[in-house]
Amino acid sequence: MRSDQMKKGLERAPHRSLFKAMAYTDEDIKKPIIGIANSFNEVIPGHIHLREIADKVKAGVRIAGGTPMEFNTIGVCDGIAMGHKGMKYSLPSRELIADSVEIMATAYPFDGLVCICDCDKIVPGMMMAMLRLNIPSIIVSGGPMMAGKLGDKAIDLIAVFEGVGARSSGKITDAQLKEIEDKACPGCGSCAGMFTANSMNCLSEALGLSLPGNGTIPAIADERKKLAEEAGIKVMNLVKKDIKPKDIATQKAFENAITVEMALGSSTNTVLHLPAIADEAGIKLEMGLFNEISGRTPNLCRISPAGKDHMEDLNAAGGVPAVMAELNKKKLLHTGIITVTGSAVKENIKGAENLNTEVIRPADDPYSQDGGLSILFGNLARDGSVVKKSAVDESMLVHEGPARVFDSEEDAMKAIMKGRIKKGDVIVVRYEGPKGGPGMREMLGPTAAIAGEELDKDVALITDGRFSGGTRGAAVGHVSPEAQEGGIIAIVNEGDKIRIDIPAKSLELMVPEEEIKKRMDKWQQPDYKIKEGYLYRYAKQVTSASTGAIFKKD
């Protein structure tokens, strides 16, 4: 056993003595030791209940003959970090989470690993660690939050963000905003729409790194606790059979995940995280692959913010297995590959049924014949940019308008809130990329304010930063190269015409090439906005959004 390195033999008597100080018995120590990486904390609603989930996982490990040992990682709630300096730390936290799990599972050579998490950067960070370590592992989420209720209307956190814009433009009262605030988030779990956390938890199923149901079973459901206990049992089976993450998360598995991503209309952040996770497996996901798979994958779901349904509705309709079963009717999946269940994909989705064709459209009657995300290229994004096409009004799929240029999210937000943005404008927010931010902040505040002021069908926003999975409208993020690295976005001037053509996968600055060259010759790289602490080290090490914002290899 791998754990023998710290527990077996004469020279390991001191090590066993230290375990006994924590009330582990000789029998406990002899068994396979399973590390339980738990991101529980009391500052994230998606994590507040993870002690209960961990207790069930540990029960499953013990049932199957193992000894669980729990440790913790950090976690940032993007919603609470939104709109202030804290958001600069959200994406960078992903690398720290992966590193911390690597450290713990190497300092303590566990025989297997269960990663318990629920929110935006924690889920991909955990999966990155699983592949880096490559010991038998499984991921378990805390599950999605239930939608809130405002009268007979289902609402979620995005309704509050958009309510701020509606209040600032006088469309609702203080009392109405307070009611939305009080009712939007009714309990524990990751926010109720197809935002980044739930997108990544669904894709963990598609990758084969979690059990069916992991992405959609509500946080408050008894089935969530049953799934957690089953995961504890399953990890012991993975240890016994020596099935490792790299045996599961192959090129074909990532192609399955991208296919499911397109069918679900997942968060744009998945285009940031999947390449980073794949990199840990030694697999390179080119941006063009996302468009290639999107071109053959029907969009089957319109979960909030793209539509009125929420994660509980997707779960009731059959969840990710039902979506995969629909896709398999078109032979769009690799079904012969292994998963953490110990069985192949085809066994996992056998018998899965679409129980609500209004929530999961049949493969023969999709919302669109191509996927819910698009990668746009052009002189403004030579290395790519991403938009959630399924959340864009049809009238904005092609848009040309004057640039309104801002060098920070704060400046853009002030302009929106003061009513300085007009119909037809293309808001450009730059120097918010991985290096320029630093940390590539989400722009939910500006996009929600635009939607709240009912301008989302008239105004576009492009940025080298990124968007929340809850963003709707013509919001194009991850523009690469970013401004800090001398991308063309750095030399856009106020009033320049910008053309967004989502069907053509194009993002263009409508300025002659000679003028672009002249401006670039004059451009000088600005100094980093922050020159101390972790963010300074992060800015110097991080790569482009087009490569997943991973760290440099050297």
Side-chain angles (χ1 to χ4, degrees), residues 89 220 461 489:
Y89 287 85
I220 63 172
L461 194 157
I489 192 172

Side-chain angles (χ1 to χ4, degrees), residues 3 85 116 122 125 146 181 185 213 399 426 431 456 488 507 528 552:
S3 61
K85 186 179 178 180
I116 303 171
I122 302 94
M146 299 294 284
E181 173 190 328
C185 299
H399 179 77
V426 179
Y431 295 105
D456 55 299
I488 299 300
L507 180 63
Y528 292 118
K552 296 174 184 175

Side-chain angles (χ1 to χ4, degrees), residues 96-116:
L96 287 176
I97 290 160
D99 290 350
S100 67
V101 176
E102 175 197 354
I103 288 169
M104 290 298 289
T106 307
Y108 306 92
F110 302 124
D111 299 299
L113 183 68
V114 181
C115 292
I116 303 171

Side-chain angles (χ1 to χ4, degrees), residues 36 38 49-63 68 70 116 225 228-230 232:
I36 311 295
N38 187 0
H49 62 304
L50 292 188
R51 279 179 174 161
E52 298 173 47
I53 299 296
D55 285 344
K56 285 296 183 180
V57 170
K58 289 187 281 188
V61 169
R62 293 187 183 104
I63 287 168
E70 184 180 353
I116 303 171
K225 294 177 183 177
E229 187 169 301
E230 185 183 357

Side-chain angles (χ1 to χ4, degrees), residues 145-424:
M145 185 185 293
M146 299 294 284
K149 298 293 181 185
L150 189 66
D152 59 357
K153 181 184 178 183
I155 61 171
D156 53 46
L157 179 66
I158 305 309
V160 192
F161 275 98
E162 293 184 359
V164 172
R167 177 66 194 94
S168 70
S169 60
K171 291 181 170 59
I172 62 173
T173 65
D174 286 337
Q176 287 172 310
L177 178 58
K178 178 67 161 55
E179 185 179 14
I180 296 169
E181 173 190 328
D182 290 345
K183 294 181 176 178
C185 299
C188 66
S190 48
C191 296
M194 189 57 74
F195 314 143
T196 305
N198 293 324
S199 294
M200 291 308 304
N201 282 324
C202 287
L203 296 189
S204 73
E205 285 190 52
L207 268 173
L209 294 175
S210 68
L211 297 178
N214 185 63
T216 61
I217 296 173
I220 63 172
D222 287 341
E223 287 84 356
R224 174 59 55 182
K225 294 177 183 177
K226 293 174 186 175
L227 180 140
E229 187 169 301
E230 185 183 357
I233 295 169
K234 287 293 185 184
V235 76
M236 291 297 295
N237 184 55
L238 295 173
V239 170
K240 182 179 179 181
K241 294 184 177 181
D242 196 30
I243 298 173
K244 301 183 179 74
K246 287 183 182 178
D247 300 324
I248 295 167
T250 60
Q251 175 73 34
K252 289 181 178 179
F254 278 100
E255 289 174 7
N256 280 354
I258 296 172
T259 301
V260 172
E261 170 185 50
M262 296 303 171
L264 290 173
S266 300
S267 163
T268 53
N269 284 311
T270 57
V271 178
L272 197 65
H273 298 316
L274 283 177
I277 297 165
D279 182 74
E280 298 288 353
I283 296 168
K284 187 171 178 60
L285 296 184
E286 301 283 357
M287 288 294 98
L289 179 62
F290 288 84
N291 277 343
E292 179 186 326
I293 292 175
S294 177
R296 62 176 181 255
T297 305
N299 178 221
L300 305 182
C301 301
R302 293 284 170 94
I303 310 300
S304 176
K308 61 180 177 56
D309 297 319
H310 288 83
M311 296 304 294
E312 63 211 69
D313 304 306
L314 179 58
N315 186 65
V320 174
V323 173
M324 294 179 76
E326 286 289 351
L327 292 169
N328 198 40
K329 292 175 183 178
K330 297 285 189 180
K331 306 298 181 187
L332 294 171
L333 297 172
H334 304 287
T335 60
I337 56 178
I338 196 73
T339 73
V340 291
T341 64
S343 301
V345 171
K346 60 187 173 186
E347 296 300 322
N348 292 346
I349 65 175
K350 186 178 180 180
E353 187 179 350
N354 184 352
L355 301 175
N356 189 337
T357 56
E358 291 185 7
V359 177
I360 305 172
R361 295 285 283 269
D364 287 328
D365 183 28
Y367 284 104
S368 64
Q369 294 297 335
D370 59 352
L373 298 181
S374 290
I375 309 299
L376 310 186
F377 294 93
N379 65 0
L380 254 178
R382 292 196 167 113
D383 294 338
S385 58
V386 62
V387 63
K388 189 168 185 171
K389 180 176 74 71
S390 59
V392 179
D393 188 81
E394 191 172 332
S395 65
M396 290 294 288
L397 291 174
V398 178
H399 179 77
E400 184 174 318
R404 304 297 308 281
V405 183
F406 304 95
D407 286 347
S408 71
E409 177 189 1
E410 289 84 356
D411 289 347
M413 192 67 178
K414 286 175 188 173
I416 295 166
M417 297 296 280
K418 290 181 178 178
R420 287 162 41 201
I421 302 301
K422 307 303 179 188
K423 289 185 177 182

